[in-house]
Amino acid sequence: VSYKGVMRGSGRIDFKGLDMVKTQFLIGGNLQVLSYDSKSASPAVYGDLSIGTDGDVIFAMTPDKTFLKAHIKINNANLFFPPLQSSYSGSSSNFVYKYAESGKTLSEREAEIQRIVAESRARTEEIFVEAGAVSNFDYDIRVRIDNEARITFVLAEQANQKLIANLKGDLTYESTGGIQNIQGELQLLEGSTLEFLKTFTATGSIKFESDLTNPYLDITATYKNYRMSTESGSEGKETE
């Protein structure tokens, strides 16, 4: 890999009989966690990413609560965010299936299909109930870009529209008692560009307020060119 490193950890697990009643792990160091070779395993984001810990990462668990504290520094980053969703995105939860009572006798095959659909629906509801009940996982995750990070956001692959951002800033992602809070802002530095038919100089910021995968882009893109005056002896003038 491009950026080698080492992370070291230590921990403790307490048992009562065969039940695990308390755990605590500490991890610290520097390590490359993504590379271009990891694209097949992580298609949502790929490229070089080297991180370090700002103090120890702490993971602790008791029968009543689980807690994670991770303050991370981005040491080196050259990442790509490809568009994974098409203009239409749907979910099975958007559809309501109603079965007409025709009074006819169902075939064995039709009865089997309805049984599978009913079991699938019941399992989906069970998963949502379990997910909603898990509110005892608190975490405090903070990410800071110490050095300049380069991130390419592919906005429209068919039109070759992309934002190449050289970034610096920080991000906080925390949850306490099931209440999540996401705050952060990354500033575009010199050399950032927006490519759409031509190359534009990009300035502004990327803000995170509610969804890590859907940031708010406040970007101003400027295209500069030179035009030649029709007056004899005059020099070219810069236009925006």
Side-chain angles (χ1 to χ4, degrees):
V1 294
S2 302
Y3 309 101
K4 296 182 179 180
V6 175
M7 278 194 174
R8 293 182 171 88
S10 62
R12 174 188 176 95
I13 304 176
D14 294 345
F15 289 92
K16 185 176 182 180
L18 296 178
D19 296 328
M20 186 170 57
V21 295
K22 184 179 180 182
T23 66
Q24 179 171 312
F25 294 97
L26 306 177
I27 301 173
N30 299 276
L31 198 65
Q32 180 163 348
V33 294
L34 286 178
S35 72
Y36 289 92
D37 294 334
S38 62
K39 180 179 179 180
S40 59
S42 176
V45 55
Y46 62 92
D48 286 330
L49 176 61
S50 173
I51 68 171
T53 59
D54 187 3
D56 285 328
V57 172
I58 301 173
F59 176 79
M61 184 175 66
T62 66
D64 299 324
K65 181 166 288 190
T66 302
F67 175 70
L68 172 66
K69 177 183 177 183
H71 293 186
I72 303 297
K73 301 180 296 182
I74 305 297
N75 295 329
N76 297 280
N78 187 8
L79 299 174
F80 290 82
F81 283 81
L84 295 182
Q85 296 181 348
S86 64
S87 57
Y88 170 78
S89 60
S91 171
S92 59
S93 61
N94 294 332
F95 298 91
V96 177
Y97 295 93
K98 294 183 179 180
Y99 299 92
E101 298 292 340
S102 62
K104 71 174 184 178
T105 303
L106 295 177
S107 67
E108 184 177 344
R109 178 60 176 167
E110 290 171 332
E112 178 68 10
I113 291 175
Q114 287 201 8
R115 183 187 65 79
I116 294 173
V117 171
E119 289 182 356
S120 176
R121 183 185 300 143
R123 179 55 186 157
T124 301
E125 293 175 353
E126 180 183 343
I127 291 173
F128 278 116
V129 169
E130 290 177 356
V134 179
S135 60
N136 58 347
F137 178 34
D138 292 347
Y139 49 82
D140 176 11
I141 301 173
R142 303 184 186 186
V143 179
R144 186 178 79 246
I145 301 177
D146 275 348
N147 301 319
E148 182 178 311
R150 182 182 178 91
I151 301 179
T152 301
F153 297 91
V154 181
L155 305 177
E157 193 168 18
Q158 294 80 359
N160 196 29
Q161 183 181 9
K162 56 187 176 182
L163 172 66
I164 302 175
N166 298 321
L167 299 171
K168 195 168 187 178
D170 53 60
L171 170 68
T172 299
Y173 184 36
E174 57 188 3
S175 176
T176 303
I179 301 176
Q180 290 187 348
N181 177 42
I182 304 172
Q183 295 290 332
E185 182 173 355
L186 303 177
Q187 294 290 334
L188 270 68
L189 303 178
E190 184 178 355
S192 300
T193 60
L194 176 68
E195 295 187 6
F196 182 58
L197 301 180
K198 296 182 180 293
T199 300
F200 296 76
T201 300
T203 59
S205 63
I206 300 175
K207 298 180 182 179
F208 297 86
E209 296 179 350
S210 60
D211 187 354
L212 281 176
T213 62
N214 188 24
Y216 176 72
L217 303 181
D218 183 11
I219 307 297
T220 300
T222 305
Y223 175 71
K224 293 184 178 182
N225 199 359
Y226 287 88
R227 64 177 177 85
M228 298 302 297
S229 175
T230 57
E231 299 176 5
S232 59
S234 60
E235 298 180 353
K237 295 183 179 180
E238 186 180 69
T239 61
E240 294 186 359

